[in-house]
Amino acid sequence: MTTVDRAPPATTIRPYQAGDESAILRTFNIVFRETNGEGYVDRGMPFWRWQYLDNPEGHRVWVAVTADGTVAAHYGGVPYRVATPAGETTFVHIVDSFVHPSFRAGLKAPGLFVCTALPWFRDCYVRGDAVAYGFPVPRAERIGQRYLHYHRLRVIDYLCRDLGEERAADPTVSVAPITQLAEGSESAARVDGLFAAFRRERACLTVRSARYLRWRYLTPPGVEFEVVGAQRGDRLVGLMVLARRVELVPDSCAIVDWMVPGDDEGVTSALLGHAVARGRDAGRANLLAVFADSSPEFANLQRAGFTVVSSSLHFERRLNYQVFAHDLSEPFLREHWWYTLGDSDLV
């Protein structure tokens, strides 16, 4: 890796400090108004605070700041607690990396982008994080591979099907919304028990505890997810998170998260039937999901009528990573890292 030790003149590169968020958001919105064009809606402070300050696992944010307080560059990450064969560790999802338009002369690399990112990666290593990952645009991927040890794991495939009539569901399984997961509640205990069973069958995945699900899906400002549980009698046997409007594939709704211990066909059909019905109610045409191609769900959903659609047909999503923990090799991640759309900022 090429070493870059100095930032451009008149900028200070440092970790986030309380109060930086207003300047961060000003630059963020300048950058993404330009990138996304007409129709872009500015990111607001409540969402920023939810994503970074409210995350139960903390945050990873570094900024390059000018003397007048402008955030010239930003490199941000959302940590997730992850279960692995060696115990629980932290994966950090790189979600917001950008440079103010006035400081982009350095984007020819290494430049301010790399100068801000390098101490961010060093900080993750010192903290003991195991993996950093993200879905960079092609230009950022090229710079990251040259200077930041980015490695591409795969181009993401979508699983997609139209919202035709669903097959008959198992009559012993009922599906109902989960609207609260308060700490210490019975519903939280049931979800934690479900994850304990699900975790035993998968080697590497985000810890989908009630605390995590509450933060990720029940509290984000301005974003609506539907969390539903599947029951047999009084026993929770499955969980799904649904987003009713997603444009990764045009005119879609999406399965954002999923827990079905034992890959139970009756539970799977009940949850898919609910997703199809809710998508039709929302006037959507397609149902999509993302699972690693090594996962049982990748095969199970194809048997349930889904087809594999490369993201390259829409806006290609390239999963890149850097490993800090020596026991998590690329072959291990390729074979055993279990993830959904909820492990990304794509929804």
Side-chain angles (χ1 to χ4, degrees):
M1 181 173 72
T2 302
T3 300
V4 182
D5 294 321
R6 294 188 301 111
T11 61
T12 300
I13 295 177
R14 58 167 175 77
Y16 161 83
Q17 296 175 1
D20 285 340
E21 49 265 44
S22 293
I24 290 171
L25 278 175
R26 277 196 293 274
T27 298
F28 180 97
N29 287 320
I30 288 169
V31 169
F32 287 96
R33 277 186 222 123
E34 176 187 79
T35 301
N36 295 351
E38 188 177 351
Y40 172 73
V41 178
D42 281 0
R43 176 173 291 184
M45 188 65 72
F47 186 89
W48 192 93
R49 289 184 174 276
W50 165 80
Q51 185 174 43
Y52 291 108
L53 302 187
D54 296 344
N55 180 0
E57 303 304 328
H59 58 78
R60 307 284 185 269
V61 177
W62 280 69
V63 291
V65 185
T66 66
D68 68 0
T70 298
V71 169
H74 177 278
Y75 210 88
V78 175
Y80 294 143
R81 200 71 186 156
V82 173
T84 76
E88 292 187 3
T89 186
T90 304
F91 284 21
V92 184
H93 180 23
I94 304 164
V95 294
D96 294 325
S97 57
F98 53 86
V99 177
H100 192 292
S102 300
F103 295 85
R104 283 189 189 148
L107 274 181
K108 59 188 176 182
L112 191 55
F113 176 86
V114 172
C115 289
T116 307
L118 281 172
W120 184 94
F121 279 99
R122 285 195 292 269
D123 185 39
C124 290
Y125 176 79
V126 169
R127 288 173 181 264
D129 299 330
V131 172
Y133 71 95
F135 301 86
V137 298
R139 190 177 189 186
E141 182 186 53
R142 290 192 297 271
I143 295 172
Q145 289 176 350
R146 181 176 180 185
Y147 294 101
L148 302 172
H149 279 184
Y150 283 16
H151 301 278
R152 187 190 297 180
L153 190 67
R154 58 170 58 94
V155 173
I156 293 296
D157 286 325
Y158 300 133
L159 290 162
C160 192
R161 57 156 289 180
D162 63 40
L163 294 178
E165 291 295 323
E166 186 50 50
R167 302 167 188 174
D170 185 336
T172 69
V173 179
S174 61
V175 177
I178 297 174
T179 58
Q180 66 87 22
L181 290 169
E183 186 176 355
S185 67
E186 180 182 354
S187 61
R190 283 155 53 86
V191 165
D192 287 342
L194 181 73
F195 176 70
F198 191 65
R199 173 180 180 169
R200 286 194 290 269
E201 303 165 354
R202 285 154 181 83
C204 180
L205 76 167
T206 297
V207 175
R208 285 161 165 78
S209 63
R211 183 179 76 154
Y212 166 78
L213 295 172
R214 180 172 61 247
W215 167 75
R216 180 66 179 90
Y217 300 119
L218 297 182
T219 62
V223 181
E224 291 187 11
F225 297 109
E226 181 180 350
V227 183
V228 297
Q231 292 193 179
R232 267 199 189 94
D234 60 358
R235 188 164 62 94
L236 184 67
V237 290
L239 182 145
M240 176 181 67
V241 180
L242 190 66
R244 296 177 68 191
R245 302 186 69 85
V246 173
E247 295 299 332
L248 294 170
V249 173
D251 201 19
S252 294
C253 59
I255 296 169
V256 177
D257 223 321
W258 182 267
M259 283 194 285
V260 178
D263 302 316
D264 187 309
E265 289 186 10
V267 176
T268 295
S269 66
L271 290 174
L272 291 179
H274 181 86
V276 166
R278 297 295 283 161
R280 286 202 301 259
D281 289 346
R284 306 270 85 187
N286 303 296
L287 175 62
L288 73 89
V290 168
F291 294 103
D293 56 17
S294 58
S295 70
E297 288 79 7
F298 194 80
N300 292 344
L301 291 194
Q302 289 179 73
R303 286 192 289 270
F306 287 72
T307 58
V308 178
V309 177
S310 173
S311 65
S312 64
L313 297 177
H314 300 281
F315 183 80
E316 189 169 81
R317 309 292 176 169
R318 305 169 178 183
L319 176 54
N320 280 246
Y321 71 95
Q322 183 184 142
V323 171
F324 307 114
H326 298 300
D327 55 345
L328 295 177
S329 63
E330 176 174 340
F332 174 85
L333 293 174
R334 188 174 295 279
E335 181 66 24
H336 297 294
W337 184 11
W338 191 93
Y339 53 78
T340 68
L341 274 170
D343 292 287
S344 76
D345 63 340
L346 303 178
V347 292

